[in-house]
Amino acid sequence: MSSIAHSAIAVTRPNRLTEALEMLAARARSDAPVRLLAGCTDVLVEANHGGLRYRDFLDLSGLRSELGGLCWAEDGSLHIGALCTYSELLNDADAQLKLPMLCDASRLVGATQIQARGTFAGNVENASPAADAAPALMALDAAVMLRSERGSRTVPLDQYYQGYRATARRSDELITSIIVPAQPGPVSEQFFRKVGTRAYQAITKVGLSARIRRDGGAISEARVVATSMAATICRVTAVEDALIGVQDLCDDTRRRIKEAQTSALTPIDDVRSQADYRNEVFHRLVMQAVAQTQS
Amino acid sequence: MTVSKPNTCLADAVPKQQVRVSINGTETTLQVRPFRRLLDVLRTDLDLPGTKEGCGEGECGACSVLMNGEPVNACLVPIIQCHDTDIQTIEGLAQNQVLHPVQQAFLKHGGAQCGICTPGMVVTAAWMCNRKLDAEQIRQRLSGNICRCTGYSAIVNSVAEALGADQGGEG
Amino acid sequence: MADGGFPRRARRVGRSSPRPEGKDKVTGALRYIDDQRFDGLYGATVRTKQPRGRVVGIRFQQATGIDWREFAVVTAQDIPRSSSIDGIDPNFVALIQRDQPYLVRDEFRHVGEPVALLAHPDPEILRRAVDLVELRIEELPAALDFRQEPNAQQVQHQQDDLPGNVFSRIVVSKGAADESKAALQAIFEQAEHVVEGVYETPAQEQCYIETQGMVAHVEVDPSEAQGPLWPKKPWKVVIEGSMQCPYYVHKAITHLCQLPDDRVQIIQAPTGGGFGGKEDYPSIIAGHVALLALKTRKKVKIIYDRVEDIATTTKRHPSRTTLRAALDKQGRLLAIDMDVTLDGGAYVTLSPVVLSRGAIHAVGPYAIDHVRVHNRVVLSNTPPHGAFRGFGAPQTIFAFERHLDKCARALGLDPVKFRRLNLLKRGQTLAVSQKIEEAIELEQWMDEALDAFDYEQRKAQYERFNREAIAKGSPLRRGAGVAVFMHGAGFTGSGEDYLASEVMVRAKPKGIEICTANTEIGQGSITVFTQIAADSLGLPMETISIAKPDTDQVPNSGPTVASRTSMVVGHLVARACDDLVRKLQQQGALRAADKRREAEDPQERKISALAEGLGREYQSDKLLDALTESANADAGPLEGWAKYVRPPGGLWNDKTYKGVAYGTFAWATYAAAVEVDLTTFETKLLDFVAGQEIGRVLNPLLAEGQIQGGVVQAMGWALLEDTIYQDGHVKNPNMTNYVVPTFADVPDVQVIFQESPYAYGPWGAKGIGELPMDGPAPAIANAISDAVGVSIDIIPATPERVMRAVLAQGEAL
């Protein structure tokens, strides 16, 4: 169970996307998968603590011209390149106006240094149940663009996770971008709250990313995404369903929503928090989101 | 057991690669194993130990350096990713023996106590120069740098003075 | 005592002089131990993974890339009992008791206990190799919860007439409690009110940002460059590293290596924070590097990484306290019955002393006639708990100050009014029967701090805020809390007598050099010593230099602990300066003609030369010339010496636990304002005021910074920091999960000083290093309790704990 030394880790750094895809395909064929390096804010922590299971990496940092940056498409959707960092998004004035919940989430990833290095695609692919940006993306109906030598495909983020730390990405594929569709409703529909272990440099103990649309007072559409409440971040469709049609929060409604939550989510106790807290606070956050998006 | 002449590296070590990087304004080409941490390259290979290691996991910020002008944790950067980048460390901050305004302010306001977090703190603060930030914004942007001595107030005062930002508000 | 005549005139003292070493800190030029160029071997420690057991075998597993012939290995077998000269096993760390081994011989008592040491030129190979050393273990029943009485199998320590696993017991008693338990009980039975409570505090990690580290080499006769571990001809070991107390390490290493004093040299490298964590533990690492250096005859370095540091080094003792208070109708405290248990961890280390400080500070600055504080520290199978800023006092003060709020609530009194009724006045006695003779004005000092906090208005405002919040369904609640407390400076009782600290100052060309064993660890001792010497001699700061703490070069001025450096050692620095001037006079190097002309400063004539600092009588250029001449003299430079002399006053009795516990105390009132969000149960600190009387402020900027730093460290203890043990393992040994405050977790801490000079501190100064650790946790817990209306009696007051307390009371949002 001895750890892998840094000097034993091989890194290939292609300068073109086609080279990267070629290498991924070759490795997939020989059943010797490589792990991808982007901002390294997760991989290096594992490596420094002796927890790496891979010794073969493909570094994407040479592909900045093809995978970097973000752009707004004409239809109002946001295309986040695979190497786009949190600080790049936070420097984008339109993002602040149109996607405040994604900016809130980005601002709470680690702190300055992590935001300068960490990428949205890395956060999505790392598949942590305590991810910060991925749940906001999920609540915004974002989709993941994957590419391989065989072609491209798009997977909605809410279908991307297949279990603890398991994603829909095949070993020959690469995330090229994440697409956040144009949000038809006002920004007041967006709600993001991270309850972390402290103000910054915090891991999420429980979090809610939500989007709640109303039609004449009653909730007509809801996205409720839970963080640190299950093995993956996830949409809580039971709660979303329970919210449809809700106008005011009477005791009965609260109870119904809580029951829906309890049926769908069974968080665990760990070193950062406990299940009773996660359950109670997640419920309260849902109530707060409903109340806050009421006006 | 006696100590015999050691191998120079692990038997399974990968070959060294070439990394071209500018460090404190000087172009350098390194021969180095690709996954070696920028932190180790600076401290051990280049004898620039002003950049400290506090936690090895990007929590404390003691290893903060500027990479292409932005503060990063050198403990979380494999050296291969520094290829074609510009790295600035604490050693490169004072120019010709003249202290950077942030360094001067730290001296005046007691921003350094034991001094171990100070280089990383100063580097991050230097990145904030030329912005107008109020105390809360300073605290937010420096939250990736942990200090266990000062209780932070003296550092906020130092940075505020260096920024000339007591009037507040992001400009 | 001849020279108790402070306050002296101050020129540098009282000013915010900048740190002489500051520039090297802000430029990163200062080289801490791991920054120094090094071409030697790296050392690492193989540790146990079970909480208790016996090591029955060690196996070195084969793996590609690991050639065991390249490694040096040291185990307990290398330190035979027979190598002892005085009959005491050298393998035990010399501290209070000799029960903790450097390396496990057979039985071990905690996870992470050192069993073997490895050295290798390549740190990466070394790191891999550590995991390949397999320990064969027979497990033994462990005592994992200090709050539970151990069963017979779990007992590992039996001492005197104490129950099993109890390391030390102290009983403080006063009034009826001196007579009998029954007499104390009678007061409780007759009291109008009796208030009870139980309080718990966690193990806090010092979390200095520089982890522990040491480098050692040995000087042996060339003929013994190879050969058995222990050289036959005279040899010397030299160790440099991160530490608070070079002479503690020195004592430990002379015992381990069975060497005379002059064969062990300990040097403090620039140290990146200590907070107590580098008081006792460095002796162990020093022992380890010394053993590896001895084995290899090479330079060896051990630097802990953060995980190893958190998982294995000392922390603040966890505590559990039960409290009963008897009160009369008006709210006067009649009697206190308090039961304190500290978790000592696996070995005795400094626990009895920590227990003592907790016991003495437990009942605080209040006039209470009948007191019983029963204190014990017990074994548990975790790494030993040890020194941490405050040293037992924060634990008991948390319980007591939290309990006072509970009493106030039971009586329907405002917590401040309630404290006012019971505050100590000059001439009254503490729980240890020490009569306070110094001019204390606790009520006035408390009011000054509370005025800065705007206590009355704030309370009214928060009541309104909470009423409105409830009315409109807002989840936010605000509250305010205070704590009033004191902290004694220097060693307890006769401790300073035993230390018998000495300071030397030496003439240098154009100045002097101050030689003490006290270490700069961030607190500013270099600056303060320089200020003190500058004023004692009437010389500019630049003429004063500070010798590196190196046991070959500096006398033993005692450890850098217990808020003693400025007050006790600073006083010695001033006296040593006087002694040097006296010697210059005697030698004729300074003459009457060299004195300052009277017209130069008419004010000066009024101040006695002794109180002023002898050197100040002379023109500074003449004094500098005399110093230069002495420095260049064939006979060597003159040295001024000062040795600790106990100030007049009563004695301390260790048997009865009564008497003068400390020569003086610093007195403090802290106030916290919080906002609790009942959606997430998170607490936000809104404001904090720290008011304290500290005798004399030697350097306002440094003093303020030290208070702010201590307050924030205590805020972490109050709200965030918790070492989580599971089956004896630390479950959060990293800075991701051991959570200390960031910039954004804390407010700006407002600091207020009052000055009532202490006659035996330099210019009246008292110690302040530990004080700020005492008050924040109870003030914050009191504020949270005030905000949400339920008692928060366990810290850290995490959102989880606040939630459970609130829900238990049936809060509906």
Side-chain angles (χ1 to χ4, degrees):
Chain A
M1 61 152 278
S2 136
S3 56
I4 299 170
H6 286 57
S7 65
I9 290 170
V11 186
T12 310
R13 186 176 185 272
N15 288 312
R16 298 209 342 258
L17 181 57
T18 50
E19 283 172 48
L21 295 176
E22 207 174 291
M23 178 182 169
L24 282 171
R27 291 309 189 89
R29 276 195 299 275
S30 60
D31 206 23
V34 290
R35 200 166 162 191
L36 303 169
L37 288 181
C40 295
T41 55
D42 290 308
V43 171
L44 264 279
V45 175
E46 274 175 60
N48 295 345
H49 286 338
L52 271 194
R53 287 164 295 135
Y54 293 78
R55 55 174 70 229
D56 233 345
F57 285 83
L58 179 73
D59 173 30
L60 304 176
S61 69
L63 308 178
R64 208 160 290 279
S65 59
E66 285 170 281
L67 298 180
L70 53 85
C71 75
W72 295 90
E74 276 188 20
D75 64 355
S77 64
L78 173 66
H79 292 238
I80 301 173
L83 292 175
C84 175
T85 62
Y86 304 110
S87 63
E88 280 176 75
L89 181 89
L90 289 170
N91 286 329
D92 186 276
D94 283 343
Q96 307 277 355
L97 290 175
K98 295 176 188 165
L99 301 172
M101 73 182 293
L102 190 57
C103 292
D104 289 348
S106 302
R107 206 172 288 117
L108 290 170
V109 178
T112 303
Q113 291 86 337
I114 301 295
Q115 289 162 22
R117 291 270 299 156
T119 64
F120 290 92
N123 191 242
V124 164
E125 186 55 30
N126 186 51
S128 164
D132 289 312
L137 290 167
M138 195 184 282
L140 292 164
D141 290 340
V144 181
M145 281 280 288
L146 292 161
R147 198 158 142 197
S148 70
E149 283 202 312
R150 293 174 292 129
S152 299
R153 63 180 182 128
T154 306
V155 181
L157 189 52
D158 62 4
Q159 292 164 32
Y160 196 65
Y161 297 110
Q162 303 182 328
Y164 180 67
R165 299 268 179 182
T167 71
R169 186 179 71 90
R170 298 177 190 129
S171 61
D172 64 341
E173 285 178 320
L174 198 65
I175 297 179
T176 49
S177 67
I178 294 162
I179 300 166
V180 185
Q183 302 298 311
V187 292
S188 60
E189 292 179 1
Q190 300 177 22
F191 178 94
F192 177 86
R193 185 122 181 225
K194 163 180 178 170
V195 181
T197 44
R198 59 184 154 191
Y200 284 90
Q201 296 292 62
I203 297 194
T204 304
K205 299 198 287 194
V206 48
L208 171 65
S209 305
R211 208 159 45 74
I212 293 171
R213 181 158 310 155
R214 284 170 193 273
D215 190 357
I219 294 174
S220 58
E221 192 187 332
R223 292 287 180 279
V224 172
V225 179
T227 308
S228 297
M229 291 293 289
T232 67
I233 60 159
C234 59
R235 268 180 69 178
V236 195
T237 46
V239 172
E240 291 175 358
D241 293 345
L243 286 176
I244 301 297
V246 167
Q247 201 136 13
D248 295 310
L249 286 171
C250 62
D251 284 355
D252 199 42
T253 310
R254 286 168 193 269
R255 202 170 307 122
R256 210 159 41 78
I257 296 169
K258 180 96 186 245
E259 277 165 16
Q261 175 192 325
T262 316
S263 71
L265 296 169
T266 47
I268 57 164
D269 291 349
D270 62 21
V271 76
R272 297 176 195 123
S273 189
Q274 292 83 42
D276 63 337
Y277 178 80
R278 292 179 156 129
N279 277 323
E280 182 65 35
V281 171
F282 186 77
H283 173 65
R284 285 171 186 243
L285 291 177
V286 173
M287 295 300 102
Q288 193 185 36
V290 171
Q292 228 170 70
T293 53
Q294 207 151 26
S295 44
Chain B
M1 253 178 252
T2 56
V3 181
S4 67
K5 195 171 160 41
N7 297 323
T8 47
C9 65
L10 283 169
D12 53 359
V14 299
K16 292 183 176 182
Q17 286 172 244
Q18 219 175 60
V19 174
R20 191 176 62 229
V21 53
S22 160
I23 290 173
N24 295 327
T26 308
E27 280 286 323
T28 320
T29 301
L30 306 165
Q31 284 292 332
V32 62
R33 292 195 175 77
F35 208 70
R36 190 163 172 77
R37 304 181 304 172
L38 170 60
L39 179 62
D40 299 319
V41 171
L42 292 172
R43 288 178 54 80
T44 310
D45 304 358
L46 302 175
D47 194 33
L48 293 171
T51 305
K52 310 300 181 195
E53 174 159 12
C55 68
E57 55 178 355
E59 287 290 332
C60 75
C63 65
S64 298
V65 299
L66 300 183
M67 185 177 187
N68 292 334
E70 273 197 291
V72 303
N73 294 310
C75 76
L76 298 187
V77 179
I79 191 66
I80 192 159
Q81 292 201 334
C82 297
H83 189 70
D84 280 344
T85 67
D86 183 76
I87 304 293
Q88 196 171 18
T89 74
I90 184 71
E91 286 89 351
L93 214 56
Q95 295 293 319
N96 306 321
Q97 298 291 314
V98 179
L99 295 184
H100 187 279
V102 168
Q103 292 171 318
Q104 286 172 18
F106 265 63
L107 287 180
K108 179 175 162 193
H109 292 281
Q113 286 191 22
C114 84
I116 195 83
C117 76
T118 309
M121 201 69 81
V122 166
V123 163
T124 308
W127 160 77
M128 292 170 11
C129 276
N130 308 320
R131 283 158 225 244
K132 275 193 177 163
L133 304 172
D134 63 23
E136 201 187 319
Q137 291 166 324
I138 291 171
R139 280 183 182 267
Q140 185 195 326
R141 281 162 178 73
L142 277 175
S143 277
N145 291 80
I146 287 174
C147 169
R148 194 62 162 164
C149 291
T150 61
Y152 300 116
S153 290
I155 298 174
V156 175
N157 296 342
S158 306
V159 177
E161 171 165 305
L163 268 56
D166 8 13
Q167 60 272 61
E170 182 137 28
Chain C
M1 183 158 146
D3 64 342
F6 288 107
R8 298 176 172 197
R9 279 285 303 276
R11 280 185 170 68
R12 309 291 161 193
V13 162
R15 283 166 45 168
S16 294
S17 302
R19 290 173 178 269
E21 84 287 7
K23 192 178 169 199
D24 284 346
K25 284 180 174 169
V26 301
T27 57
L30 190 67
R31 293 205 173 207
Y32 300 77
I33 190 66
D34 196 31
D35 302 337
Q36 297 173 12
R37 285 192 192 85
F38 180 75
D39 59 339
L41 304 174
Y42 295 84
T45 315
V46 177
R47 299 174 181 281
T48 56
K49 294 187 173 73
Q50 297 80 9
R52 190 181 169 212
R54 206 171 275 130
V55 178
V56 293
I58 303 179
R59 201 171 69 89
F60 297 87
Q61 299 177 66
Q62 299 304 314
T64 34
I66 300 294
D67 180 352
W68 285 109
R69 289 167 304 181
E70 293 173 358
F71 289 82
V73 181
V74 173
T75 67
Q77 287 182 352
D78 290 296
I79 323 165
R81 286 191 182 90
S82 57
S83 64
S84 171
I85 297 163
D86 55 10
I88 300 162
D89 189 344
N91 188 24
F92 287 119
V93 183
L95 214 56
I96 292 171
Q97 286 190 18
R98 292 186 169 94
D99 59 344
Q100 183 180 21
Y102 283 98
L103 294 170
V104 172
R105 268 204 205 290
D106 41 24
E107 241 187 88
F108 63 90
R109 287 190 188 168
H110 66 85
V111 173
E113 205 165 332
V115 178
L117 304 167
L118 307 180
H120 192 276
D122 185 315
E124 220 181 325
I125 295 175
L126 181 70
R127 205 174 314 131
R128 280 191 72 191
V130 170
D131 295 336
L132 293 168
V133 181
E134 188 192 347
L135 303 178
R136 280 206 301 282
I137 301 295
E138 275 173 23
E139 285 205 58
L140 292 166
L144 294 171
D145 187 346
F146 76 103
R147 295 165 300 189
Q148 284 173 7
E149 296 299 321
N151 63 34
Q153 282 76 44
Q154 291 166 329
V155 170
Q156 298 148 63
H157 181 98
Q158 193 71 58
Q159 188 183 322
D160 312 327
D161 57 343
L162 297 174
N165 283 358
V166 175
F167 286 144
S168 178
R169 182 170 60 192
I170 290 168
V171 181
V172 171
S173 74
K174 180 184 178 188
D178 276 338
E179 289 168 38
S180 67
K181 252 185 154 166
L184 184 69
Q185 185 54 29
I187 294 172
F188 277 88
E189 276 159 20
Q190 287 153 22
E192 193 76 19
H193 304 275
V194 172
V195 179
E196 302 189 355
V198 182
Y199 307 90
E200 290 186 16
T201 66
Q204 185 183 22
E205 163 60 31
Q206 293 85 359
C207 209
Y208 30 68
I209 304 297
E210 182 208 29
T211 54
Q212 306 248 8
M214 294 275 169
V215 173
H217 71 271
V218 292
E219 294 167 8
V220 296
D221 190 274
S223 66
E224 294 186 289
Q226 305 259 313
L229 185 69
W230 303 96
K232 291 193 177 56
K233 294 181 183 152
W235 60 286
K236 183 175 179 177
V237 56
V238 182
I239 302 172
E240 182 166 4
S242 183
M243 67 182 83
Q244 292 176 226
C245 312
Y247 274 96
Y248 278 8
V249 178
H250 188 267
K251 179 183 167 193
I253 300 305
T254 48
H255 176 70
L256 169 68
C257 297
Q258 298 283 302
L259 285 172
D261 285 353
D262 62 349
R263 296 277 166 189
V264 174
Q265 183 182 2
I266 308 295
I267 304 159
Q268 184 230 3
T271 297
F275 317 112
K278 293 171 184 171
E279 174 174 349
D280 47 328
Y281 199 86
S283 295
I284 294 176
I285 310 181
H288 289 167
V289 278
L291 288 166
L292 284 171
L294 198 53
K295 183 94 179 187
T296 60
R297 305 286 205 261
K298 287 198 168 76
K299 212 171 209 186
V300 178
K301 169 157 99 170
I302 292 181
I303 306 287
Y304 282 5
D305 70 18
R306 181 60 63 184
V307 172
E308 185 172 27
D309 198 303
I310 296 184
T312 65
T313 70
T314 55
K315 298 183 183 22
R316 183 184 305 290
H317 291 68
S319 76
R320 179 185 161 90
T321 300
T322 59
L323 248 164
R324 281 197 310 154
L327 300 128
D328 71 9
K329 209 181 275 175
Q330 285 75 39
R332 253 180 291 275
L333 283 161
L334 302 173
I336 289 291
D337 189 2
M338 192 168 176
D339 214 308
V340 181
T341 306
L342 298 185
D343 177 357
Y347 295 105
V348 175
T349 64
L350 293 168
S351 288
V353 197
V354 173
L355 188 72
S356 160
R357 199 168 271 258
I360 290 167
H361 288 82
V363 179
Y366 298 96
I368 307 165
D369 290 337
H370 311 286
V371 177
R372 176 183 166 277
V373 190
H374 178 266
N375 310 270
R376 47 181 215 145
V377 56
V378 303
L379 174 148
S380 77
N381 292 102
T382 64
H385 297 116
F388 191 158
R389 192 179 210 166
F391 215 70
Q395 291 94 316
T396 56
I397 291 171
F398 171 74
F400 192 74
E401 280 297 308
R402 186 63 209 105
H403 198 67
L404 291 190
D405 263 38
K406 206 173 278 183
C407 291
R409 200 178 164 86
L411 287 146
L413 282 176
D414 177 86
V416 167
K417 283 203 191 83
F418 172 66
R419 283 176 174 80
R420 198 182 299 282
L421 281 173
N422 291 289
L423 271 184
L424 195 76
K425 293 186 176 60
R426 187 177 190 173
Q428 291 181 315
T429 57
L430 300 173
V432 291
S433 302
Q434 174 170 0
K435 191 171 171 188
I436 297 302
E437 313 269 14
E438 58 179 301
I440 54 167
E441 297 291 348
L442 299 190
E443 249 193 278
Q444 186 196 320
W445 295 336
M446 178 178 81
D447 285 339
E448 285 174 22
L450 293 177
D451 283 351
F453 186 70
D454 213 359
Y455 180 79
E456 299 287 342
Q457 275 222 358
R458 195 185 281 266
K459 285 285 275 192
Q461 201 189 329
Y462 286 1
E463 255 170 54
R464 231 175 15 250
F465 179 92
N466 292 343
R467 255 200 323 273
E468 285 168 18
I470 291 165
K472 66 177 189 220
S474 156
L476 304 180
R477 303 286 184 274
R478 290 185 175 174
V482 302
V484 182
F485 58 99
M486 73 218 184
H487 202 103
F491 267 36
T492 311
S494 39
E496 291 290 344
D497 292 339
Y498 290 117
L499 282 179
S501 299
E502 285 186 289
V503 165
M504 184 259 281
V505 300
R506 182 192 285 134
K508 271 186 46 173
K510 294 270 169 219
I512 65 151
E513 182 176 51
I514 303 172
C515 298
T516 80
N518 292 91
T519 51
E520 167 65 51
I521 53 174
Q523 84 285 43
S525 61
I526 289 177
T527 318
V528 166
F529 285 171
T530 306
Q531 287 176 285
I532 287 171
D535 269 1
S536 297
L537 297 169
L539 293 176
M541 297 275 284
E542 309 79 70
T543 64
I544 316 291
S545 62
I546 308 273
K548 189 174 198 166
D550 170 343
T551 56
D552 268 13
Q553 301 295 327
V554 301
N556 187 354
S557 57
T560 301
V561 302
S563 312
R564 67 184 292 277
T565 301
S566 286
M567 186 181 95
V568 177
V569 186
H571 194 185
L572 294 176
V573 169
R575 284 180 42 212
C577 287
D578 285 352
D579 186 56
L580 179 61
V581 172
R582 215 173 285 125
K583 284 173 177 159
L584 288 169
Q585 288 171 333
Q586 283 162 7
Q587 239 189 23
L590 284 172
R591 287 172 296 272
D594 298 335
K595 292 212 171 178
R596 289 176 197 271
R597 286 190 304 279
E598 287 194 358
E600 198 178 7
D601 187 352
Q603 269 262 295
E604 261 177 42
R605 277 172 292 154
K606 297 182 189 148
I607 299 152
S608 84
L610 202 60
E612 168 83 356
L614 265 182
R616 290 208 52 81
E617 283 200 311
Y618 293 90
Q619 298 170 43
S620 43
D621 55 337
K622 302 287 184 199
L623 179 54
L624 285 172
D625 287 346
L627 289 168
T628 307
E629 197 181 316
S630 165
N632 296 330
D634 291 342
L638 276 179
E639 294 174 350
W641 284 79
K643 188 167 184 168
Y644 177 79
V645 180
R646 179 152 33 102
L651 294 174
W652 172 254
N653 187 328
D654 240 333
K655 295 212 167 56
T656 60
Y657 246 74
K658 289 184 199 301
V660 176
Y662 297 96
T664 188
F665 293 86
W667 312 88
T669 299
Y670 283 10
V674 302
E675 183 177 275
V676 181
D677 181 342
L678 291 175
T679 303
T680 62
F681 303 94
E682 291 170 296
T683 297
K684 185 179 173 193
L685 292 162
L686 299 174
D687 281 302
F688 198 95
V689 171
Q692 48 260 303
E693 187 285 309
I694 62 164
R696 177 69 195 256
V697 182
L698 293 173
N699 183 315
L701 189 67
L702 292 183
E704 185 181 40
Q706 199 173 15
I707 299 293
Q708 287 168 330
V711 166
V712 166
Q713 209 164 42
M715 286 172 168
W717 190 50
L719 291 174
L720 301 170
E721 298 178 34
D722 194 358
T723 311
I724 301 165
Y725 293 109
Q726 197 180 80
D727 302 328
H729 292 257
V730 177
K731 298 304 285 181
N732 53 341
N734 51 56
M735 287 182 72
T736 305
N737 293 321
Y738 185 86
V739 180
V740 302
T742 69
F743 274 92
D745 289 287
V746 294
D748 185 35
V749 175
Q750 189 186 342
V751 179
I752 291 168
F753 290 122
Q754 289 106 2
E755 296 179 292
S756 173
Y758 169 53
Y760 302 97
W763 281 266
K766 302 174 176 177
I768 63 165
E770 295 164 287
L771 181 79
M773 196 71 224
D774 294 338
I780 289 166
N782 286 341
I784 298 173
S785 303
D786 181 50
V788 298
V790 294
S791 277
I792 301 299
D793 298 339
I794 302 178
I795 54 168
T798 56
E800 287 80 355
R801 287 202 172 108
V802 174
M803 179 195 81
R804 284 172 203 133
V806 169
L807 294 187
Q809 204 181 255
E811 172 267 355
L813 188 63

